[in-house]
Coordinates of all heavy atoms in Angstrom, one line a residue:
L279 N 0.8 -1.2 0.0 CA 0.0 0.0 0.0 C 0.9 1.2 0.0 O 1.9 1.3 0.6 CB -0.9 0.0 1.2 CG -1.9 -1.1 1.4 CD1 -2.6 -1.0 2.7 CD2 -2.9 -1.1 0.2
E280 N 0.4 2.3 -0.7 CA 1.1 3.5 -0.8 C 0.2 4.7 -0.6 O -1.0 4.7 -0.8 CB 1.8 3.6 -2.1 CG 2.8 2.6 -2.5 CD 3.4 2.8 -3.9 OE1 3.1 3.8 -4.5 OE2 4.0 1.8 -4.3
G281 N 0.8 5.8 -0.1 CA 0.1 7.1 -0.1 C -1.3 7.1 0.5 O -1.5 6.8 1.6
E282 N -2.2 7.5 -0.4 CA -3.6 7.5 -0.1 C -4.2 6.2 0.4 O -5.0 6.2 1.3 CB -4.5 8.0 -1.2 CG -4.3 9.5 -1.5 CD -5.3 10.0 -2.6 OE1 -6.3 9.3 -2.9 OE2 -5.0 11.0 -3.2
D283 N -3.7 5.1 -0.2 CA -4.2 3.8 0.3 C -3.8 3.6 1.8 O -4.6 3.0 2.5 CB -3.6 2.7 -0.6 CG -4.1 2.7 -2.0 OD1 -5.2 3.2 -2.2 OD2 -3.4 2.1 -2.9
L284 N -2.6 4.0 2.2 CA -2.2 3.8 3.5 C -3.1 4.7 4.5 O -3.5 4.2 5.6 CB -0.7 4.2 3.7 CG 0.3 3.1 3.2 CD1 1.7 3.7 3.3 CD2 0.1 1.9 4.1
E285 N -3.4 5.9 4.0 CA -4.2 6.8 4.8 C -5.6 6.2 5.0 O -6.2 6.2 6.0 CB -4.3 8.2 4.2 CG -3.0 8.9 4.3 CD -3.1 10.3 3.6 OE1 -4.2 10.9 3.5 OE2 -2.0 10.8 3.1
V286 N -6.2 5.7 3.9 CA -7.5 5.1 3.9 C -7.5 3.9 4.9 O -8.4 3.7 5.7 CB -8.0 4.7 2.5 CG1 -9.2 3.8 2.6 CG2 -8.2 5.9 1.7
E287 N -6.5 3.0 4.7 CA -6.4 1.8 5.6 C -6.2 2.3 7.1 O -6.9 1.7 8.0 CB -5.1 1.0 5.2 CG -5.0 -0.3 6.0 CD -6.0 -1.3 5.6 OE1 -6.6 -1.3 4.6 OE2 -6.1 -2.2 6.4
A288 N -5.5 3.3 7.4 CA -5.3 3.8 8.7 C -6.6 4.3 9.3 O -7.0 4.0 10.4 CB -4.2 4.8 8.8
A289 N -7.3 5.1 8.4 CA -8.7 5.6 8.9 C -9.6 4.5 9.1 O -10.4 4.5 10.1 CB -9.2 6.6 7.8
N290 N -9.6 3.5 8.2 CA -10.5 2.3 8.4 C -10.2 1.6 9.7 O -11.2 1.3 10.4 CB -10.4 1.4 7.2 CG -11.3 0.3 7.2 OD1 -12.5 0.5 7.3 ND2 -10.8 -0.9 7.1
N291 N -9.0 1.4 10.0 CA -8.6 0.7 11.2 C -9.0 1.5 12.4 O -9.5 0.9 13.4 CB -7.1 0.4 11.2 CG -6.8 -0.7 10.2 OD1 -7.6 -1.6 9.9 ND2 -5.5 -0.7 9.8
L292 N -8.8 2.8 12.4 CA -9.2 3.7 13.5 C -10.7 3.6 13.7 O -11.1 3.4 14.9 CB -8.8 5.1 13.2 CG -9.1 6.1 14.2 CD1 -8.3 5.9 15.5 CD2 -8.9 7.5 13.7
L293 N -11.5 3.7 12.7 CA -13.0 3.6 12.8 C -13.4 2.2 13.3 O -14.2 2.1 14.2 CB -13.6 3.9 11.5 CG -13.6 5.3 11.1 CD1 -14.1 5.4 9.6 CD2 -14.4 6.2 12.0
L294 N -12.8 1.1 12.8 CA -13.1 -0.2 13.2 C -12.8 -0.4 14.7 O -13.6 -1.0 15.4 CB -12.4 -1.3 12.4 CG -12.9 -1.5 11.0 CD1 -12.0 -2.5 10.2 CD2 -14.4 -1.9 11.0
N295 N -11.7 0.1 15.1 CA -11.3 -0.1 16.6 C -12.2 0.8 17.5 O -12.6 0.3 18.5 CB -9.9 0.3 16.8 CG -8.9 -0.7 16.2 OD1 -9.2 -1.9 16.2 ND2 -7.7 -0.2 15.8
H296 N -12.6 1.9 17.0 CA -13.4 2.8 17.8 C -14.9 2.3 17.9 O -15.5 2.4 19.0 CB -13.4 4.2 17.3 CG -14.1 5.2 18.1 ND1 -13.6 5.7 19.3 CD2 -15.4 5.8 18.0 CE1 -14.5 6.6 19.9 NE2 -15.5 6.6 19.1
F297 N -15.4 1.7 16.9 CA -16.8 1.3 16.8 C -16.9 -0.2 16.8 O -17.9 -0.8 16.4 CB -17.5 1.9 15.6 CG -17.6 3.4 15.6 CD1 -16.8 4.2 14.8 CD2 -18.5 4.0 16.5 CE1 -16.9 5.5 14.9 CE2 -18.7 5.3 16.5 CZ -17.9 6.1 15.7
K298 N -15.9 -0.9 17.3 CA -15.9 -2.4 17.2 C -17.1 -3.1 17.8 O -17.5 -4.1 17.3 CB -14.6 -3.0 17.8 CG -14.4 -2.8 19.2 CD -13.0 -3.3 19.6 CE -12.7 -2.7 21.0 NZ -11.2 -2.9 21.3
E299 N -17.7 -2.5 18.8 CA -18.9 -3.1 19.4 C -20.1 -2.9 18.5 O -21.1 -3.6 18.7 CB -19.2 -2.5 20.8 CG -18.1 -2.8 21.8 CD -18.4 -2.2 23.2 OE1 -19.5 -1.8 23.5 OE2 -17.4 -2.0 23.9
H300 N -20.1 -2.0 17.6 CA -21.2 -1.7 16.7 C -20.9 -2.0 15.3 O -21.5 -1.4 14.4 CB -21.6 -0.2 16.9 CG -21.9 0.1 18.3 ND1 -23.0 -0.4 19.0 CD2 -21.2 0.8 19.2 CE1 -23.0 0.0 20.2 NE2 -22.0 0.8 20.4
H301 N -19.9 -2.8 15.0 CA -19.4 -3.1 13.7 C -19.9 -4.5 13.3 O -19.7 -5.5 14.1 CB -17.9 -3.1 13.6 CG -17.4 -3.6 12.3 ND1 -16.7 -4.7 12.2 CD2 -17.4 -3.0 11.1 CE1 -16.3 -4.9 11.0 NE2 -16.7 -3.9 10.3
Y302 N -20.6 -4.7 12.2 CA -21.1 -6.0 11.8 C -20.6 -6.2 10.4 O -20.6 -5.3 9.5 CB -22.6 -6.0 11.8 CG -23.2 -5.7 13.1 CD1 -23.6 -4.4 13.4 CD2 -23.2 -6.6 14.1 CE1 -24.1 -4.1 14.7 CE2 -23.7 -6.3 15.4 CZ -24.1 -5.1 15.7 OH -24.6 -4.8 16.9
E303 N -20.2 -7.5 10.1 CA -19.8 -7.9 8.8 C -20.7 -9.0 8.4 O -21.2 -9.7 9.2 CB -18.3 -8.3 8.8 CG -17.3 -7.2 9.0 CD -15.9 -7.7 8.7 OE1 -15.6 -8.1 7.6 OE2 -15.1 -7.6 9.7
S304 N -20.8 -9.2 7.1 CA -21.5 -10.3 6.6 C -20.6 -11.2 5.8 O -19.5 -10.9 5.4 CB -22.7 -9.8 5.6 OG -22.1 -9.2 4.5
S305 N -21.2 -12.4 5.5 CA -20.4 -13.4 4.8 C -20.1 -13.0 3.3 O -19.2 -13.4 2.7 CB -21.1 -14.7 4.8 OG -22.4 -14.6 4.3
D306 N -20.9 -12.1 2.8 CA -20.8 -11.6 1.4 C -20.5 -10.2 1.2 O -20.4 -9.6 0.1 CB -22.0 -12.0 0.5 CG -23.2 -11.3 0.9 OD1 -23.2 -10.5 1.9 OD2 -24.3 -11.5 0.3
G307 N -20.3 -9.4 2.4 CA -20.0 -8.0 2.3 C -21.2 -7.1 2.1 O -21.0 -5.9 1.9
Q308 N -22.4 -7.6 2.1 CA -23.6 -6.8 1.8 C -24.3 -6.5 3.2 O -24.4 -7.3 4.0 CB -24.6 -7.6 0.9 CG -24.0 -7.9 -0.4 CD -23.7 -6.7 -1.2 OE1 -24.5 -5.7 -1.3 NE2 -22.5 -6.6 -1.8
I309 N -24.8 -5.3 3.3 CA -25.4 -4.8 4.5 C -26.7 -5.6 4.8 O -27.0 -6.0 5.9 CB -25.7 -3.3 4.5 CG1 -26.3 -2.8 5.9 CG2 -26.7 -2.9 3.4 CD1 -25.3 -2.9 7.0
A310 N -27.4 -6.0 3.7 CA -28.7 -6.7 3.9 C -28.4 -8.1 4.4 O -29.1 -8.7 5.3 CB -29.4 -6.9 2.6
T311 N -27.3 -8.7 4.0 CA -26.9 -10.0 4.6 C -26.4 -9.9 6.0 O -26.7 -10.8 6.8 CB -25.7 -10.6 3.7 OG1 -26.2 -10.7 2.4 CG2 -25.4 -12.0 4.2
A312 N -25.7 -8.8 6.4 CA -25.3 -8.6 7.8 C -26.6 -8.5 8.7 O -26.6 -9.0 9.8 CB -24.5 -7.3 7.9
V313 N -27.6 -7.7 8.2 CA -28.8 -7.6 8.9 C -29.4 -9.0 9.1 O -29.8 -9.4 10.3 CB -29.8 -6.7 8.2 CG1 -31.2 -6.7 8.9 CG2 -29.3 -5.2 8.2
Q314 N -29.5 -9.8 8.1 CA -30.1 -11.1 8.2 C -29.4 -12.0 9.1 O -30.0 -12.6 10.0 CB -30.2 -11.7 6.8 CG -30.7 -13.2 6.9 CD -31.1 -13.7 5.5 OE1 -31.8 -13.1 4.7 NE2 -30.6 -14.9 5.2
E315 N -28.1 -12.0 9.0 CA -27.3 -12.9 9.9 C -27.4 -12.5 11.3 O -27.6 -13.4 12.2 CB -25.8 -12.9 9.4 CG -25.6 -13.6 8.1 CD -24.3 -13.4 7.4 OE1 -23.4 -12.6 8.0 OE2 -24.0 -14.1 6.4
L316 N -27.4 -11.2 11.6 CA -27.5 -10.7 13.0 C -28.9 -11.0 13.5 O -29.0 -11.5 14.7 CB -27.2 -9.2 13.0 CG -27.4 -8.6 14.4 CD1 -26.3 -9.1 15.4 CD2 -27.3 -7.1 14.3
F317 N -29.9 -10.7 12.8 CA -31.3 -10.9 13.3 C -31.6 -12.4 13.5 O -32.2 -12.8 14.5 CB -32.3 -10.3 12.3 CG -32.6 -8.9 12.6 CD1 -31.6 -7.9 12.5 CD2 -33.9 -8.4 12.8 CE1 -31.8 -6.6 12.8 CE2 -34.2 -7.1 13.1 CZ -33.1 -6.2 13.1
I318 N -31.1 -13.3 12.6 CA -31.3 -14.7 12.8 C -30.5 -15.2 14.0 O -31.1 -15.9 14.9 CB -31.0 -15.5 11.6 CG1 -32.0 -15.2 10.5 CG2 -30.9 -17.0 11.8 CD1 -31.7 -15.8 9.1
Q319 N -29.3 -14.7 14.2 CA -28.5 -15.1 15.3 C -29.1 -14.7 16.6 O -29.1 -15.5 17.6 CB -27.1 -14.5 15.2 CG -26.2 -14.8 16.4 CD -24.9 -14.0 16.3 OE1 -24.8 -12.9 15.7 NE2 -23.9 -14.5 16.9
K320 N -29.6 -13.5 16.7 CA -30.2 -12.9 17.9 C -31.7 -13.3 18.1 O -32.3 -12.9 19.1 CB -30.0 -11.4 17.9 CG -28.6 -10.9 17.8 CD -28.0 -10.9 19.2 CE -26.6 -10.3 19.1 NZ -25.9 -10.3 20.4
K321 N -32.2 -14.0 17.1 CA -33.6 -14.3 17.1 C -34.5 -13.1 17.2 O -35.6 -13.1 17.9 CB -34.0 -15.3 18.3 CG -33.2 -16.6 18.1 CD -33.6 -17.6 19.1 CE -33.0 -18.9 18.7 NZ -32.3 -19.7 19.4
F322 N -34.1 -12.0 16.5 CA -34.9 -10.8 16.3 C -35.8 -11.0 15.2 O -35.6 -11.8 14.2 CB -34.0 -9.6 16.1 CG -33.1 -9.2 17.2 CD1 -32.0 -8.4 16.9 CD2 -33.3 -9.5 18.5 CE1 -31.2 -7.9 17.9 CE2 -32.5 -9.1 19.5 CZ -31.4 -8.3 19.2
T323 N -36.9 -10.1 15.2 CA -37.8 -10.0 14.0 C -37.8 -8.6 13.5 O -37.4 -7.7 14.3 CB -39.2 -10.5 14.3 OG1 -39.7 -9.7 15.4 CG2 -39.2 -12.0 14.7
L324 N -38.2 -8.4 12.3 CA -38.3 -7.0 11.7 C -39.5 -6.8 10.9 O -39.9 -7.7 10.1 CB -37.0 -6.8 10.8 CG -36.9 -5.5 10.1 CD1 -36.7 -4.4 11.1 CD2 -35.8 -5.5 9.1
S325 N -40.1 -5.7 11.2 CA -41.3 -5.2 10.3 C -40.9 -3.8 9.9 O -40.3 -3.1 10.7 CB -42.6 -5.2 11.1 OG -42.9 -6.5 11.5
L326 N -41.4 -3.3 8.8 CA -41.0 -2.0 8.3 C -42.3 -1.2 7.9 O -43.3 -1.8 7.5 CB -40.1 -2.1 7.0 CG -38.8 -2.8 7.2 CD1 -38.1 -2.9 5.8 CD2 -37.9 -1.9 8.1
A327 N -42.2 0.1 8.0 CA -43.1 1.0 7.4 C -42.3 1.9 6.6 O -41.4 2.6 7.1 CB -43.9 1.7 8.5
E328 N -42.5 1.9 5.3 CA -41.8 2.7 4.3 C -42.7 3.7 3.6 O -43.8 3.5 3.4 CB -41.1 1.8 3.3 CG -40.1 0.8 3.9 CD -39.4 0.0 2.9 OE1 -38.6 0.6 2.1 OE2 -39.6 -1.2 2.8
S329 N -42.1 4.8 3.2 CA -42.8 5.8 2.5 C -42.0 6.2 1.2 O -42.1 5.6 0.2 CB -43.1 7.1 3.3 OG -43.7 8.0 2.5
C330 N -41.1 7.1 1.4 CA -40.3 7.6 0.2 C -39.4 6.5 -0.4 O -39.0 6.7 -1.6 CB -39.5 8.8 0.6 SG -40.5 10.2 1.1
T331 N -39.1 5.5 0.3 CA -38.3 4.4 -0.3 C -39.2 3.5 -1.2 O -38.6 2.7 -2.0 CB -37.7 3.5 0.8 OG1 -38.8 3.0 1.6 CG2 -36.8 4.3 1.7
G332 N -40.5 3.6 -1.1 CA -41.4 2.8 -2.0 C -41.2 1.3 -1.8 O -41.5 0.6 -2.7
G333 N -40.8 0.9 -0.7 CA -40.6 -0.5 -0.4 C -39.2 -1.1 -0.8 O -39.0 -2.3 -0.7
A334 N -38.3 -0.2 -1.1 CA -37.0 -0.7 -1.5 C -36.2 -1.4 -0.4 O -35.5 -2.3 -0.7 CB -36.2 0.5 -2.0
I335 N -36.4 -1.0 0.8 CA -35.7 -1.7 1.9 C -36.2 -3.1 2.1 O -35.4 -4.0 2.1 CB -35.8 -0.9 3.2 CG1 -35.2 0.5 3.1 CG2 -35.2 -1.7 4.4 CD1 -35.5 1.4 4.2
A336 N -37.5 -3.3 2.1 CA -38.1 -4.6 2.2 C -37.7 -5.5 1.0 O -37.3 -6.6 1.1 CB -39.6 -4.5 2.2
A337 N -37.6 -4.9 -0.2 CA -37.2 -5.6 -1.4 C -35.8 -6.1 -1.3 O -35.5 -7.2 -1.6 CB -37.4 -4.8 -2.6
R338 N -34.9 -5.2 -0.8 CA -33.5 -5.6 -0.6 C -33.3 -6.7 0.4 O -32.5 -7.6 0.2 CB -32.7 -4.3 -0.2 CG -31.3 -4.5 -0.1 CD -30.5 -3.8 -1.2 NE -29.1 -4.0 -1.1 CZ -28.3 -3.1 -0.8 NH1 -28.6 -1.9 -0.5 NH2 -27.0 -3.4 -0.7
L339 N -34.1 -6.6 1.5 CA -33.9 -7.6 2.5 C -34.5 -9.0 2.1 O -33.9 -10.0 2.4 CB -34.6 -7.2 3.8 CG -34.0 -5.9 4.5 CD1 -34.8 -5.5 5.7 CD2 -32.5 -6.2 5.0
T340 N -35.6 -8.9 1.4 CA -36.3 -10.2 1.1 C -35.7 -10.9 -0.2 O -36.1 -12.0 -0.5 CB -37.8 -10.0 1.0 OG1 -38.1 -9.0 0.0 CG2 -38.4 -9.6 2.3
E341 N -34.8 -10.2 -0.9 CA -34.2 -10.9 -2.0 C -33.2 -11.9 -1.6 O -32.8 -12.7 -2.5 CB -33.6 -9.9 -3.0 CG -32.4 -9.2 -2.5 CD -31.9 -8.1 -3.5 OE1 -32.6 -7.8 -4.4 OE2 -30.8 -7.6 -3.2
I342 N -32.9 -12.0 -0.4 CA -31.9 -12.9 0.2 C -32.7 -14.1 0.7 O -33.6 -14.0 1.5 CB -31.1 -12.3 1.3 CG1 -30.3 -11.1 0.8 CG2 -30.1 -13.3 1.8 CD1 -29.7 -10.3 1.9
P343 N -32.3 -15.3 0.2 CA -33.0 -16.5 0.7 C -32.9 -16.7 2.2 O -31.8 -16.4 2.8 CB -32.3 -17.7 0.0 CG -31.7 -17.1 -1.2 CD -31.4 -15.6 -0.9
G344 N -33.9 -17.0 2.9 CA -33.9 -17.2 4.3 C -34.5 -16.0 5.1 O -34.6 -16.0 6.3
S345 N -34.8 -14.9 4.4 CA -35.3 -13.7 5.1 C -36.6 -13.9 5.8 O -36.9 -13.2 6.8 CB -35.4 -12.6 4.1 OG -36.4 -12.9 3.1
S346 N -37.3 -15.0 5.4 CA -38.6 -15.2 6.2 C -38.4 -15.7 7.6 O -39.3 -15.7 8.4 CB -39.4 -16.2 5.4 OG -38.7 -17.5 5.3
Q347 N -37.1 -16.0 7.9 CA -36.8 -16.4 9.3 C -36.9 -15.2 10.3 O -37.0 -15.4 11.5 CB -35.4 -17.0 9.4 CG -35.3 -18.4 8.7 CD -33.9 -18.9 8.8 OE1 -33.4 -19.2 9.9 NE2 -33.3 -19.1 7.6
Y348 N -36.8 -14.0 9.8 CA -36.8 -12.8 10.6 C -37.7 -11.7 10.2 O -38.2 -10.9 10.9 CB -35.4 -12.3 10.9 CG -34.8 -11.5 9.7 CD1 -34.9 -10.1 9.6 CD2 -34.3 -12.2 8.6 CE1 -34.5 -9.4 8.5 CE2 -33.8 -11.5 7.5 CZ -33.9 -10.1 7.5 OH -33.4 -9.4 6.4
F349 N -37.9 -11.6 8.9 CA -38.7 -10.5 8.3 C -40.2 -10.8 8.3 O -40.6 -11.8 7.7 CB -38.2 -10.2 6.9 CG -38.8 -9.0 6.3 CD1 -38.3 -7.7 6.7 CD2 -39.9 -9.0 5.4 CE1 -38.9 -6.6 6.2 CE2 -40.4 -7.9 4.9 CZ -39.9 -6.6 5.3
L350 N -41.0 -10.0 9.1 CA -42.4 -10.3 9.2 C -43.2 -9.7 8.2 O -44.3 -10.2 7.8 CB -42.8 -9.8 10.6 CG -42.2 -10.5 11.8 CD1 -42.7 -9.9 13.1 CD2 -42.3 -12.0 11.8
G351 N -42.8 -8.5 7.7 CA -43.6 -7.8 6.7 C -43.4 -6.3 6.6 O -42.6 -5.8 7.4
S352 N -44.1 -5.7 5.7 CA -43.8 -4.3 5.5 C -45.1 -3.6 4.9 O -45.9 -4.2 4.3 CB -42.7 -4.2 4.4 OG -42.5 -2.8 4.0
C353 N -45.2 -2.3 5.3 CA -46.3 -1.5 4.7 C -45.6 -0.3 4.0 O -44.7 0.3 4.5 CB -47.2 -0.9 5.8 SG -48.1 -2.1 6.7
V354 N -46.1 -0.1 2.8 CA -45.6 1.0 2.0 C -46.7 2.0 1.9 O -47.8 1.7 1.3 CB -45.1 0.6 0.6 CG1 -44.7 1.9 -0.2 CG2 -44.0 -0.4 0.7
V355 N -46.6 3.2 2.6 CA -47.6 4.2 2.6 C -47.0 5.4 1.9 O -46.2 6.2 2.5 CB -48.0 4.5 4.1 CG1 -49.1 5.5 4.1 CG2 -48.4 3.2 4.8
Y356 N -47.4 5.6 0.7 CA -46.8 6.6 -0.1 C -47.9 7.4 -0.7 O -48.7 6.9 -1.5 CB -45.9 6.0 -1.2 CG -45.1 7.0 -2.0 CD1 -43.8 7.4 -1.5 CD2 -45.5 7.5 -3.2 CE1 -43.0 8.3 -2.2 CE2 -44.7 8.4 -3.9 CZ -43.5 8.8 -3.3 OH -42.7 9.7 -4.0
S357 N -48.0 8.7 -0.3 CA -49.1 9.5 -0.9 C -48.6 10.9 -1.2 O -47.6 11.3 -0.7 CB -50.3 9.6 0.1 OG -49.9 10.2 1.3

């Protein structure tokens, strides 16, 4: 690593160390997968109410196989 890459790596390490209790990784690097893995592990459930997103969050979460283990449903109220 050189120059800017070293700076980015140092900043990344600083943030990871500072927020390590609130840092989640997924097996595939996707936030939706991290949510799924965490919710299934903790036996949490999730329901959403979306407006301006038009249901995009629910769509992103439910495109991953196994999401029915934690995702209960969603309402899209857009007017």
Side-chain angles (χ1 to χ4, degrees):
L279 296 175
E280 296 179 11
E282 285 185 24
D283 290 337
L284 284 173
E285 290 179 28
V286 169
E287 183 71 20
N290 185 52
N291 290 334
L292 179 68
L293 289 169
L294 287 176
N295 287 330
H296 186 74
F297 294 105
K298 62 185 165 195
E299 293 178 24
H300 305 288
H301 174 251
Y302 302 98
E303 288 188 64
S304 68
S305 57
D306 66 359
Q308 299 297 314
I309 188 69
T311 305
V313 169
Q314 176 168 309
E315 291 170 352
L316 177 67
F317 274 58
I318 290 172
Q319 176 190 26
K320 300 279 187 179
K321 297 184 170 132
F322 291 162
T323 59
L324 178 66
S325 298
L326 298 173
E328 298 183 67
S329 178
C330 295
T331 58
I335 298 170
R338 182 106 184 255
L339 294 173
T340 58
E341 71 186 8
I342 301 170
S345 61
S346 61
Q347 293 180 59
Y348 76 96
F349 189 77
L350 300 179
S352 171
C353 291
V354 178
V355 184
Y356 191 84
S357 59

